[in-house]
Amino acid sequence: MAKKSKVAKDAQRREVVARHAERRAVLKRTAVSPHLTEEERAAARLALQRMPRDASPTRLRNRDAVDGRPRGHLRTFGLSRVRFRQMALDGQLPGITKSSW
């Protein structure tokens, strides 16, 4: 189980990313647009740099949906490898069976 503070901080970052997503997308398109002048593109890059650091989606961490474990995350299920194995063996994940050959 992850520390509650880390899970809470990640949730807060997700809110900040969602809040600034549209503005970041516009600025990123503006910064690389060949139809604008160099000054306009430089102003867009400067505005991007002045945005909060946590507004960048690369600051997010994939975590287990149940207990917040940051490592061994299976994106398809939203679970860590440990939680996935436990739930699969308990029969809580429909269609998942333990393989043996």
Side-chain angles (χ1 to χ4, degrees):
M1 175 117 190
K3 291 171 55 174
K4 290 183 181 180
S5 61
K6 291 289 187 179
V7 174
K9 186 67 174 176
D10 190 59
Q12 182 183 10
R13 278 194 182 125
R14 288 183 188 281
E15 291 174 11
V16 172
V17 167
R19 190 176 333 130
H20 294 283
E22 188 176 337
R23 176 81 174 132
R24 274 186 67 84
V26 170
L27 288 173
K28 285 178 80 82
R29 279 195 305 270
T30 305
V32 297
S33 175
H35 303 296
L36 300 175
T37 65
E38 184 58 37
E39 291 81 23
E40 292 171 329
R41 288 186 289 180
R45 285 192 298 268
L46 186 62
L48 262 175
Q49 289 176 355
R50 289 186 175 161
M51 290 187 84
R53 180 177 289 178
D54 283 344
S56 173
T58 58
R59 305 268 297 177
L60 298 178
R61 177 80 178 176
N62 288 333
R63 291 185 173 271
D64 187 316
V66 178
D67 65 3
R69 188 177 201 278
R71 307 250 178 156
H73 182 265
L74 302 174
R75 186 177 300 215
T76 308
F77 300 95
L79 301 170
S80 68
R81 61 180 177 80
V82 177
R83 177 76 51 175
F84 173 79
R85 185 169 191 271
Q86 178 186 3
M87 290 178 75
L89 291 176
D90 291 343
Q92 296 176 353
L93 298 176
I96 305 297
T97 57
K98 187 175 186 301
S99 148
S100 63
W101 60 92

